[in-house]
Amino acid sequence: MATASGEGILMIEDARLDSGATDNDPTAVWLREAKAGDSSAFEKIIVLYQRQVLTTSLRLLGDLKDAQDASQEVFLRLYKYLHRFEDGREFPPWLYRVTVNVCRDLQRRRQRTATLSLDDLVESGEMREPASSTDLEAELGLA
Protein backbone atom coordinates (compact mmCIF):
# COMPACT_ATOMS: atom_id res chain seq x y z
CA MET A 1 0.00 0.00 0.00
CA ALA A 2 1.20 3.46 -0.79
CA THR A 3 1.37 6.03 1.95
CA ALA A 4 1.22 9.77 1.59
CA SER A 5 4.93 10.00 2.26
CA GLY A 6 5.71 7.61 -0.58
CA GLU A 7 7.34 4.92 1.60
CA GLY A 8 4.95 2.28 0.28
CA ILE A 9 5.96 3.02 -3.29
CA LEU A 10 9.62 2.54 -2.41
CA MET A 11 8.86 -0.76 -0.71
CA ILE A 12 7.03 -2.01 -3.82
CA GLU A 13 9.90 -0.95 -6.09
CA ASP A 14 12.44 -2.60 -3.77
CA ALA A 15 10.45 -5.84 -3.80
CA ARG A 16 10.33 -5.78 -7.61
CA LEU A 17 14.08 -5.24 -7.81
CA ASP A 18 14.75 -8.06 -5.36
CA SER A 19 12.74 -10.48 -7.47
CA GLY A 20 14.56 -9.43 -10.64
CA ALA A 21 11.45 -7.88 -12.14
CA THR A 22 11.52 -4.30 -13.31
CA ASP A 23 9.39 -2.34 -15.71
CA ASN A 24 12.40 -2.13 -18.02
CA ASP A 25 13.06 -5.90 -18.01
CA PRO A 26 10.07 -7.89 -19.24
CA THR A 27 12.23 -11.03 -19.33
CA ALA A 28 12.39 -11.10 -15.53
CA VAL A 29 8.60 -10.90 -15.33
CA TRP A 30 8.18 -13.62 -17.97
CA LEU A 31 10.69 -15.85 -16.18
CA ARG A 32 8.82 -15.52 -12.92
CA GLU A 33 5.51 -16.23 -14.67
CA ALA A 34 6.98 -19.20 -16.57
CA LYS A 35 8.34 -20.65 -13.33
CA ALA A 36 4.79 -20.39 -11.97
CA GLY A 37 3.56 -22.48 -14.92
CA ASP A 38 2.52 -19.83 -17.48
CA SER A 39 3.36 -21.39 -20.86
CA SER A 40 2.60 -18.17 -22.77
CA ALA A 41 5.30 -16.40 -20.72
CA PHE A 42 7.81 -19.10 -21.67
CA GLU A 43 6.76 -18.75 -25.30
CA LYS A 44 7.56 -15.01 -25.10
CA ILE A 45 11.04 -15.88 -23.80
CA ILE A 46 11.53 -18.24 -26.75
CA VAL A 47 10.44 -15.60 -29.26
CA LEU A 48 12.71 -12.99 -27.69
CA TYR A 49 15.84 -15.17 -27.53
CA GLN A 50 15.50 -17.70 -30.37
CA ARG A 51 17.63 -15.71 -32.82
CA GLN A 52 20.42 -15.21 -30.26
CA VAL A 53 20.45 -18.93 -29.41
CA LEU A 54 20.45 -19.96 -33.09
CA THR A 55 23.25 -17.52 -33.95
CA THR A 56 25.40 -18.69 -31.04
CA SER A 57 24.74 -22.34 -31.92
CA LEU A 58 25.61 -21.74 -35.56
CA ARG A 59 28.87 -20.03 -34.60
CA LEU A 60 29.81 -22.94 -32.33
CA LEU A 61 28.71 -25.80 -34.59
CA GLY A 62 29.20 -24.40 -38.10
CA ASP A 63 26.19 -26.22 -39.53
CA LEU A 64 22.67 -24.79 -39.78
CA LYS A 65 20.86 -28.10 -39.25
CA ASP A 66 22.96 -28.88 -36.17
CA ALA A 67 22.42 -25.33 -34.90
CA GLN A 68 18.66 -25.70 -35.29
CA ASP A 69 18.74 -29.01 -33.41
CA ALA A 70 20.85 -27.42 -30.67
CA SER A 71 18.51 -24.42 -30.40
CA GLN A 72 15.54 -26.68 -29.90
CA GLU A 73 17.41 -28.62 -27.24
CA VAL A 74 18.41 -25.36 -25.47
CA PHE A 75 14.79 -24.34 -25.02
CA LEU A 76 13.80 -27.83 -23.92
CA ARG A 77 16.50 -27.72 -21.24
CA LEU A 78 15.49 -24.21 -20.21
CA TYR A 79 11.94 -25.40 -19.70
CA LYS A 80 13.09 -28.46 -17.77
CA TYR A 81 15.51 -26.56 -15.50
CA LEU A 82 13.75 -23.22 -15.23
CA HIS A 83 13.05 -23.90 -11.55
CA ARG A 84 16.82 -23.75 -10.94
CA PHE A 85 17.14 -20.21 -12.28
CA GLU A 86 17.43 -17.81 -9.36
CA ASP A 87 15.29 -14.66 -9.42
CA GLY A 88 17.39 -11.54 -9.57
CA ARG A 89 20.16 -13.12 -11.67
CA GLU A 90 20.86 -11.99 -15.18
CA PHE A 91 19.19 -14.31 -17.69
CA PRO A 92 21.38 -13.85 -20.83
CA PRO A 93 24.58 -15.27 -19.26
CA TRP A 94 22.66 -18.31 -18.00
CA LEU A 95 21.09 -18.79 -21.44
CA TYR A 96 24.52 -18.50 -23.09
CA ARG A 97 25.98 -21.13 -20.73
CA VAL A 98 23.12 -23.54 -21.48
CA THR A 99 23.60 -22.93 -25.23
CA VAL A 100 27.33 -23.63 -25.07
CA ASN A 101 26.77 -26.80 -23.04
CA VAL A 102 24.12 -28.09 -25.44
CA CYS A 103 26.43 -27.45 -28.42
CA ARG A 104 29.29 -29.27 -26.74
CA ASP A 105 27.03 -32.21 -25.91
CA LEU A 106 25.82 -32.33 -29.51
CA GLN A 107 29.38 -32.25 -30.86
CA ARG A 108 30.41 -35.09 -28.54
CA ARG A 109 27.40 -37.17 -29.56
CA ARG A 110 28.05 -36.55 -33.26
CA GLN A 111 31.74 -37.44 -32.93
CA ARG A 112 30.89 -40.75 -31.27
CA THR A 113 28.42 -41.70 -33.99
CA ALA A 114 30.68 -40.44 -36.80
CA THR A 115 33.27 -43.17 -36.27
CA LEU A 116 32.36 -46.25 -38.29
CA SER A 117 34.25 -49.47 -38.61
CA LEU A 118 35.31 -50.75 -42.01
CA ASP A 119 33.25 -53.86 -41.38
CA ASP A 120 30.11 -51.74 -40.96
CA LEU A 121 30.81 -49.93 -44.24
CA VAL A 122 31.35 -53.22 -46.10
CA GLU A 123 28.18 -54.75 -44.62
CA SER A 124 26.09 -51.71 -45.55
CA GLY A 125 27.39 -51.82 -49.14
CA GLU A 126 28.94 -48.36 -48.93
CA MET A 127 32.42 -49.83 -49.51
CA ARG A 128 33.81 -52.90 -51.22
CA GLU A 129 35.85 -55.42 -49.30
CA PRO A 130 39.14 -53.76 -48.28
CA ALA A 131 42.24 -55.10 -50.01
CA SER A 132 44.71 -57.20 -48.07
CA SER A 133 48.38 -56.23 -47.94
CA THR A 134 49.29 -59.00 -50.40
CA ASP A 135 46.68 -57.69 -52.88
CA LEU A 136 48.18 -54.21 -52.59
CA GLU A 137 51.74 -55.49 -53.05
CA ALA A 138 50.71 -57.47 -56.13
CA GLU A 139 48.85 -54.47 -57.58
CA LEU A 140 51.85 -52.21 -57.04
CA GLY A 141 54.21 -54.77 -58.53
CA LEU A 142 56.14 -55.28 -55.33
CA ALA A 143 55.42 -58.96 -54.96
Side-chain angles (χ1 to χ4, degrees), residues 4-108:
S5 67
E7 290 174 8
I9 294 171
L10 286 176
M11 289 173 55
I12 291 171
E13 288 178 6
D14 288 343
R16 293 176 109 193
L17 288 174
D18 289 341
S19 69
T22 65
D23 291 335
N24 296 333
D25 185 13
T27 303
V29 175
W30 295 335
L31 285 166
R32 193 174 64 245
E33 291 171 354
K35 286 170 79 171
D38 184 352
S39 60
S40 66
F42 189 76
E43 189 174 325
K44 290 174 186 175
I45 293 168
I46 292 172
V47 169
L48 183 62
Y49 288 100
Q50 64 186 351
R51 183 175 299 212
Q52 177 183 337
V53 170
L54 181 63
T55 303
T56 302
S57 299
L58 185 56
R59 236 180 312 123
L60 292 170
L61 297 170
D63 180 75
L64 181 60
K65 185 177 180 316
D66 287 346
Q68 290 169 332
D69 290 345
S71 297
Q72 185 174 13
E73 180 65 26
V74 165
F75 289 108
L76 288 171
R77 284 195 194 176
L78 284 179
Y79 187 78
K80 183 177 180 179
Y81 296 110
L82 193 58
H83 66 280
R84 292 184 181 178
F85 182 74
E86 299 170 15
D87 290 340
R89 284 184 53 197
E90 291 289 320
F91 181 69
W94 190 62
L95 176 63
Y96 179 78
R97 187 79 259 155
V98 172
T99 304
V100 169
N101 289 342
V102 165
C103 289
R104 285 182 178 162
D105 291 347
L106 186 64
Q107 283 177 324
R108 276 189 226 114

